[in-house]
Amino acid sequence: MVSVKNISFILVLLLTAFGLRAQEGSLKNDPVQIDPAPLGTSPTTTRPVGTDTLKINNNGIETTILYYAEDSIITKTATNVTYLYGNAYIEYGDIKLDAAQIIIDRNQNELIAKGVQDSTGSWVGLPVFQDKAGVYETRGIRYNFATNRAKITGVVTQQDEGYVSGEEIKKNQDGSAYIKGGKFIPCADLLATTFIRAEKIKVIPGDKIITGPAQLYIGDIPTIFALPFAFFPDVKSDAQSGILFPKYGEERVRGIFLREGGYFFGNNEYIRTAVTGDYYSKGSFGLNVRSTYKKRYKYSGSIDLKYNKSYTPEIDENPLNSNDFWVSISHRPETRGKTRFSASINAGTSSYNNNNISTENFQNSIRSEFRSNVSLSGSFANNKFNYGLSARHSQNIQTNILDVSLPEFTLSMTRVMPFSFAEQEALKRLSFSWAFSTSNKITNLVRPNTAGFDIANSTNEADTIAVTFAKLPELFANAQNGARHSIPISTSFPLLENFNVSPSINFQELWYLKELDYTYLEDENAVRIDTLSGFSRATTYGASVSVSTQLYGSKNFKPSSRVESIRHIVSPSLDFSYRPDFGQEKYGYYKNIQVDTTSTGEPVYRFLSKYNGFVYGSPSLGESAAIGFIVNNKVEMKVRSDTAKSEKVSIFENLSFSTSYNFLADSFNLSDFNVSARTSLFKKKIDVSAAITLDPYTYLTTNDGEGDVIRRVDVVALTQGNGIGRVKSGRFSLSTNLNSKASTNRPSSSMGGSAGGLASIEGGGFGDIGNGTDNGYGTMNNGESNNQQRVPQYFDDPNAYIDISVPWNVSFSYNYSFNQYLSNNEFNTTTRQSVKMSGNLSLSEKWQLTFNTGYDLQLKEFTQSSLGVYRDLGCWELSGNWIPFGRFTSYSIDIQIKASALKDLKLSRRRSFFDN
């Protein structure tokens, strides 16, 4: 039940948000404004055609100045002063200057630039000053050639994610600047009423911003937040170091917490590291180390190490006392070479996610299985041989089953065509290759007896071995390992012009370091399985021939018909394969062992493989000579459109049918019929797929005296008038991803604010710059933006950003599947049916809603659902997330300043209703 306290807090948050937004827009209606050029379209200091030159003396050195004016140029020789009127321009070394009026005083080695007012009183031709430190658009500038110092009035410069404006600036030779009457605005809206005001500011481009006494203004009203001095980093890359302030909140189990507080090491060009800690009032704590690294054009990756001590007092209803860890490693090569190394590791204790549930990423919390893969691959001998070395890991934290493949090694030879010079196609395309693979699989799962007879030294229930150092010998004894050689030989050639024939032969040899031996124990009526150590090998081979072709059919319609034509493509394929019976005694791979005794005392025998359950399996039992039939269909039509070009529409992107027939099987020669289809509707807006499997044989119901018995008989259903067979399983899925492209050409609002203008020349206020990458008023760091991000959002949190460029996007899917099987003398059907939907909706340019939900129609309950809201408040932003029901019921609301330098200036409310 939601308390009055919670409701009151939420109302205060919403009122604060709307109040902030209203105050941010309070100056937008100022009637005296001059709209500056939007960001990215500001005047440029480009040398015009027809420039002239003059000489000045700079510290005894005569220097040339290029100058130009569209209206007039007046030089007074008595005073040695030159006046430039109308789109004036000068260039002096690294300095370029555009302005309506420029005065060059060679006696004082100074220039003065300013704008003019037009007939409406609007200011035009404001000075645009550029040097190697940056570009500035100002109200006026006075520059000394000898000292390389400047005095600027009414300037705005971009600094990181905000702007620094000042009434008066003095710029030094080294590019540093002293600002009088300055403001730091933490967003792109220069008329924003949220800012930090300081009478004195020093800016060192690419290094830092230092202020004297500074005070925070919200809604143009001074707040109680003031400092005797302030420091803001201003570096040109995203490599910065600093303190990470912790998040605070409360959990029902572990108590009040401070999370993710620590230090971020970012002053290295190639690697960044965050070391953070968590603490809970009831005694739990955690330590996290997260590093990301990147070497351009070489590789990139991340390492994440987490340790948590979950502890609560014994007097609690369900006390905790566990040590949990989690390791996540990712490494990605960015260039292709002869050797490549990649890694993706996710492993830890099975109780980690249960004890450390994250409301910000609950999808990861509800995952039950995690996989890892580390691989090294390459080639040698002029790319004729390829190798691969890998390690794999799979962990299910619900069943506590752990599977590790360490190592897995492959070595293969590329295909060789020894008769490529031959004229006959069959010889010319004849090729062979070789591949070798070896694997060692370790699992803690002790599999139960599923042989269908009693095994004396086996369990009838699945069990797991504890993963500890003491249990390593037992784990290694439970491992499976082996090696496999493969030599495929194949060719292809055309037949009767329209058919393609592809014969092939495949040889395989299996290597194992052990084999199984079976002994029937008459007194126990069970089989004892013994493992014999030693090298053991098995050779298998088989042959196949496939014939394929393509058939085309088309139907043209009258010119008056909207459908121009329909085309049908049929791709049939026949595949004949042969494999000998490797269960024969001469091969020695199988033994005919007594496994049971009937009620009449007759022994029951079965063929058992000495490689049963091994990593690469056993040679196949039973001779096989089968023919497989597959037919794929594609149906398309051309529809006349309003334009001259016809539109192609798919009726069936694929419609396939497959089955096979084994000539040498003693019964049930025909395999199941498989039918599948896939298409798209409404200009590929909706994807539809379906599949069905049919059993072609007849099921008879007989009475054995005790009741009806249903059994499958070796009679094809079609011959008995029972149709083509009995449906065994099927599936149907429908999905769509709909979105609006109405705002494709509209620039996104990444920093907030709306179009504004220059309030007045004397007032020194400026309007919104816009959303480009170049600042129309210049920057003191060459316009390079520093997209700082904080831990952990800056790594991989998909909720840390919002795409407002798409007004709405909805993904919908419906899935249905069923399976019918015969059990306990009756047919049973299991079905699964679910609906999933997710998307986002931009109510306006500033408002966005996100949602994720689903409904299990079989269980008649909702799946994990969430609702998110985002509001752009100019310099501020509001975000919220609500999980209304289920295991992870919770909500969170945050109002904070966008600029990362002031990210910790926020108002937050978080509440979870689950035990974590």
Side-chain angles (χ1 to χ4, degrees):
M1 183 176 180
V2 182
S3 65
V4 175
K5 176 182 177 182
N6 292 336
I7 295 176
S8 301
F9 183 84
I10 294 173
L11 288 175
V12 170
L13 283 175
L14 294 175
L15 289 173
T16 303
F18 286 112
L20 288 172
R21 185 58 200 153
Q23 292 168 350
E24 290 293 339
S26 61
L27 292 181
K28 297 296 188 291
N29 296 322
D30 192 329
V32 184
Q33 292 187 351
I34 299 176
D35 293 335
L39 190 63
T41 61
S42 61
T44 58
T45 50
T46 302
R47 179 189 300 179
V49 178
T51 56
D52 205 344
T53 62
L54 58 83
K55 305 291 185 179
I56 65 168
N57 190 293
N58 188 353
N59 295 324
I61 301 175
E62 191 174 66
T63 307
T64 301
I65 296 179
L66 296 175
Y67 65 93
Y68 167 86
E70 189 175 288
D71 187 357
S72 59
I73 300 175
I74 300 174
T75 300
K76 295 184 177 181
T77 55
T79 58
N80 215 13
V81 176
T82 300
Y83 300 87
L84 311 179
Y85 296 100
N87 293 330
Y89 170 86
I90 70 166
E91 183 176 329
Y92 165 65
D94 295 327
I95 297 172
K96 298 177 182 179
L97 179 63
D98 275 316
Q101 295 182 5
I102 299 178
I103 302 173
I104 304 173
D105 188 339
R106 280 168 285 178
N107 290 331
Q108 301 294 328
N109 282 335
E110 287 184 352
L111 66 83
I112 300 172
K114 58 184 178 179
V116 296
Q117 286 183 299
D118 60 14
S119 59
T120 64
S122 299
W123 286 87
V124 295
L126 295 175
V128 179
F129 178 83
Q130 176 182 340
D131 64 2
K132 59 183 178 181
V135 180
Y136 314 86
E137 186 163 345
T138 70
R139 294 202 312 270
I141 184 169
R142 184 174 182 177
Y143 182 81
N144 188 287
F145 296 106
T147 62
N148 290 328
R149 293 182 177 182
K151 184 177 181 181
I152 308 170
T153 58
V155 71
V156 174
T157 63
Q158 184 178 359
Q159 299 295 325
D160 192 23
E161 298 169 277
Y163 290 88
V164 175
S165 65
E167 299 173 1
E168 184 176 302
I169 295 181
K170 292 183 178 180
K171 186 176 177 299
N172 294 325
Q173 185 176 1
D174 59 2
S176 62
Y178 295 88
I179 303 175
K180 178 183 178 182
K183 295 193 302 184
F184 173 68
I185 303 170
C187 61
D189 185 0
L190 292 175
L191 289 179
T193 55
T194 296
F195 55 85
I196 296 177
R197 185 175 184 85
E199 286 300 317
K200 296 181 179 180
I201 300 177
K202 181 178 181 180
V203 178
I204 303 176
D207 188 5
K208 63 179 75 73
I209 301 174
I210 306 171
T211 79
Q215 188 172 20
L216 175 66
Y217 282 66
I218 299 178
D220 219 11
I221 300 173
T223 67
I224 60 172
F225 301 105
L227 294 172
F229 64 92
F231 171 87
F232 302 95
D234 178 36
V235 296
K236 296 182 180 181
S237 69
D238 56 0
Q240 299 185 37
S241 298
I243 296 174
L244 300 172
F245 289 94
K247 298 178 180 179
Y248 61 89
E250 182 179 2
E251 285 187 5
R252 296 176 61 187
V253 175
R254 294 185 289 188
I256 300 172
F257 63 76
L258 291 174
R259 286 182 188 159
E260 300 173 10
Y263 196 82
F264 177 54
F265 301 88
N267 52 2
N268 188 288
E269 183 179 356
Y270 304 105
I271 185 170
R272 295 176 294 173
T273 302
V275 180
T276 61
D278 308 331
Y279 182 76
Y280 300 82
S281 60
K282 291 187 178 182
S284 300
F285 61 89
L287 179 65
N288 310 308
V289 178
R290 170 79 171 180
S291 292
T292 61
Y293 57 89
K294 181 180 179 66
K295 189 170 184 180
R296 185 174 296 179
Y297 310 125
K298 294 291 185 179
Y299 52 79
S300 62
S302 63
I303 301 174
D304 197 357
L305 307 176
K306 298 179 180 180
Y307 169 78
N308 279 85
K309 171 67 175 180
S310 297
Y311 173 82
T312 57
E314 295 183 358
I315 60 175
D316 283 5
E317 182 178 355
N318 297 302
L320 296 176
N321 190 2
S322 65
N323 294 285
D324 302 314
F325 74 90
W326 197 263
V327 178
S328 296
I329 300 175
S330 175
H331 178 85
R332 299 170 298 276
E334 297 186 358
T335 57
R336 291 189 176 274
K338 290 188 175 182
T339 303
R340 290 174 60 84
F341 175 77
S342 63
S344 175
I345 298 176
N346 292 282
T349 56
S350 59
S351 58
Y352 179 86
N353 281 336
N354 288 331
N355 292 333
N356 299 276
I357 296 173
S358 171
T359 59
E360 297 177 355
N361 190 11
F362 66 86
Q363 290 294 340
N364 189 65
S365 300
I366 63 178
R367 287 176 59 190
S368 60
E369 189 169 352
F370 293 86
R371 298 178 182 272
S372 304
N373 180 34
V374 180
S375 64
L376 174 68
S377 61
S379 61
F380 60 94
N382 202 20
N383 293 328
K384 293 181 179 180
F385 289 87
N386 300 306
Y387 67 88
L389 181 64
S390 64
R392 303 178 188 275
H393 152 271
S394 175
Q395 178 182 5
N396 192 304
I397 61 176
Q398 291 184 349
T399 61
N400 294 328
I401 295 176
L402 176 70
D403 294 320
V404 177
S405 297
L406 179 68
E408 288 186 341
F409 176 74
T410 60
L411 179 64
S412 62
M413 181 183 71
T414 57
R415 190 171 295 274
V416 177
M417 304 177 70
F419 306 107
S420 58
F421 54 85
E423 295 182 0
Q424 189 177 1
E425 285 295 326
L427 281 177
K428 184 177 181 180
R429 299 183 183 181
L430 181 65
S431 65
F432 69 91
S433 61
W434 168 78
F436 171 78
S437 61
T438 181
S439 177
N440 179 53
K441 293 187 177 181
I442 304 171
T443 179
N444 69 334
L445 175 64
V446 180
R447 301 186 183 278
N449 174 22
T450 58
F453 55 86
D454 292 336
I455 299 177
N457 52 346
S458 176
T459 178
N460 291 324
E461 296 182 1
D463 195 10
T464 56
I465 304 171
V467 183
T468 62
F469 286 104
K471 293 288 185 177
L472 285 180
E474 191 174 347
L475 288 170
F476 290 146
N478 195 45
Q480 297 289 342
N481 47 60
R484 177 176 60 192
H485 294 266
S486 298
I487 303 178
I489 303 174
S490 64
T491 186
S492 64
F493 56 89
L495 179 65
L496 301 177
E497 295 185 356
N498 296 319
F499 295 91
N500 186 62
V501 182
S502 301
S504 65
I505 301 174
N506 187 53
F507 295 91
Q508 278 195 356
E509 182 162 295
L510 307 178
W511 288 356
Y512 294 116
L513 299 178
K514 60 183 179 181
E515 61 183 44
L516 302 179
D517 184 61
Y518 303 91
T519 304
Y520 176 69
L521 304 178
E522 187 175 354
D523 54 341
E524 299 182 22
N525 193 31
V527 177
R528 186 185 71 228
I529 302 177
D530 298 313
T531 302
L532 306 179
S533 299
F535 179 76
S536 183
R537 55 186 287 270
T539 302
T540 65
Y541 52 89
S544 67
V545 177
S546 66
V547 181
S548 62
T549 186
Q550 278 194 336
L551 305 175
Y552 297 87
S554 61
K555 169 67 175 176
N556 296 322
F557 294 87
K558 297 179 180 179
S560 59
S561 174
R562 180 166 176 77
V563 178
E564 182 178 330
S565 63
I566 293 180
R567 184 173 70 164
H568 182 196
I569 304 174
V570 184
S571 302
S573 175
L574 285 175
D575 184 11
F576 178 81
S577 62
Y578 174 78
R579 184 191 66 236
D581 180 11
F582 293 105
Q584 298 181 48
E585 186 177 354
K586 65 179 182 179
Y587 294 106
Y589 306 147
Y590 286 82
K591 289 185 177 182
N592 194 15
I593 302 295
Q594 181 181 349
V595 298
D596 201 359
T597 304
T598 65
S599 58
T600 60
E602 296 293 328
V604 179
Y605 289 90
R606 283 183 59 177
F607 282 94
L608 302 178
S609 171
K610 61 181 181 181
Y611 306 120
N612 184 49
F614 283 16
V615 62
Y616 289 112
S618 305
S620 57
L621 180 65
E623 188 178 16
S624 172
I627 185 169
F629 175 70
I630 302 174
V631 57
N632 294 311
N633 298 267
K634 186 175 184 179
V635 183
E636 300 174 320
M637 68 177 177
K638 280 188 176 182
V639 180
R640 293 183 175 89
S641 62
D642 297 334
T643 62
K645 187 176 181 181
S646 299
E647 183 180 0
K648 184 185 294 185
V649 178
S650 293
I651 300 176
F652 283 106
E653 294 179 0
N654 185 48
L655 175 62
S656 66
F657 171 83
S658 65
T659 187
S660 64
Y661 187 88
N662 187 357
F663 293 97
L664 299 181
D666 55 1
S667 61
F668 300 104
N669 306 75
L670 190 61
S671 67
D672 292 341
F673 297 155
N674 299 294
V675 182
S676 64
R678 186 182 74 252
T679 188
S680 58
L681 306 174
F682 307 113
K683 297 183 179 181
K684 297 187 177 182
K685 291 291 193 301
I686 300 177
D687 295 322
V688 182
S689 64
I692 192 170
T693 301
L694 300 102
D695 186 344
Y697 288 96
T698 302
Y699 286 81
L700 292 181
T701 303
T702 59
N703 192 294
D704 60 356
E706 297 181 358
D708 291 339
V709 177
I710 302 176
R711 60 190 180 92
R712 185 173 182 245
V713 295
D714 189 15
V715 178
V716 176
L718 191 61
T719 63
Q720 302 299 310
N722 296 328
I724 61 174
R726 184 181 184 87
V727 176
K728 290 180 64 176
S729 63
R731 61 174 176 82
F732 174 81
S733 65
L734 183 149
S735 63
T736 182
N737 189 353
L738 305 175
N739 59 75
S740 170
K741 298 182 179 180
S743 62
T744 301
N745 298 322
R746 185 187 65 202
S748 61
S749 176
S750 59
M751 296 182 67
S754 58
L758 183 62
S760 65
I761 290 299
E762 291 75 21
F766 289 85
D768 185 23
I769 296 298
N771 293 314
T773 57
D774 296 326
N775 176 10
Y777 294 96
T779 66
M780 298 188 74
N781 57 3
N782 293 324
E784 293 187 26
S785 175
N786 177 21
N787 296 320
Q788 301 179 67
Q789 295 174 321
R790 295 182 64 251
V791 179
Q793 290 88 348
Y794 72 130
F795 287 117
D796 53 6
D797 183 4
N799 299 316
Y801 59 89
I802 296 292
D803 179 14
I804 307 185
S805 62
V806 179
W808 60 269
N809 181 80
V810 176
S811 297
F812 173 87
S813 66
Y814 168 78
N815 294 278
Y816 172 79
S817 63
F818 69 91
N819 183 38
Q820 294 188 19
Y821 57 95
L822 182 62
S823 176
N824 296 326
N825 205 33
E826 64 179 2
F827 286 101
N828 298 288
T829 303
T830 58
T831 61
R832 298 190 64 181
Q833 191 174 190
S834 63
V835 176
K836 295 181 180 179
M837 188 167 60
S838 62
N840 59 72
L841 173 64
S842 295
L843 302 177
S844 67
E845 187 179 359
K846 306 297 183 180
W847 275 104
Q848 186 175 79
L849 298 177
T850 60
F851 64 91
N852 182 15
T853 187
Y855 188 77
D856 192 317
L857 297 172
Q858 198 66 28
L859 299 177
K860 295 183 179 179
E861 62 181 26
F862 283 95
T863 60
Q864 189 69 65
S865 304
S866 64
L867 178 66
V869 61
Y870 176 85
R871 168 61 172 164
D872 189 336
L873 301 172
C875 289
W876 297 76
E877 60 185 359
L878 178 146
S879 61
N881 188 62
W882 179 36
I883 303 175
F885 50 81
R887 182 184 176 191
F888 305 105
T889 301
S890 60
Y891 72 83
S892 63
I893 302 176
D894 295 281
I895 300 177
Q896 60 188 14
I897 288 182
K898 293 178 183 176
S900 60
L902 301 174
K903 205 72 173 180
D904 292 300
L905 186 60
K906 61 182 179 180
L907 185 63
S908 300
R909 175 65 171 174
R910 300 176 183 272
R911 183 70 184 272
S912 60
F913 301 93
F914 53 84
D915 294 339
N916 57 344

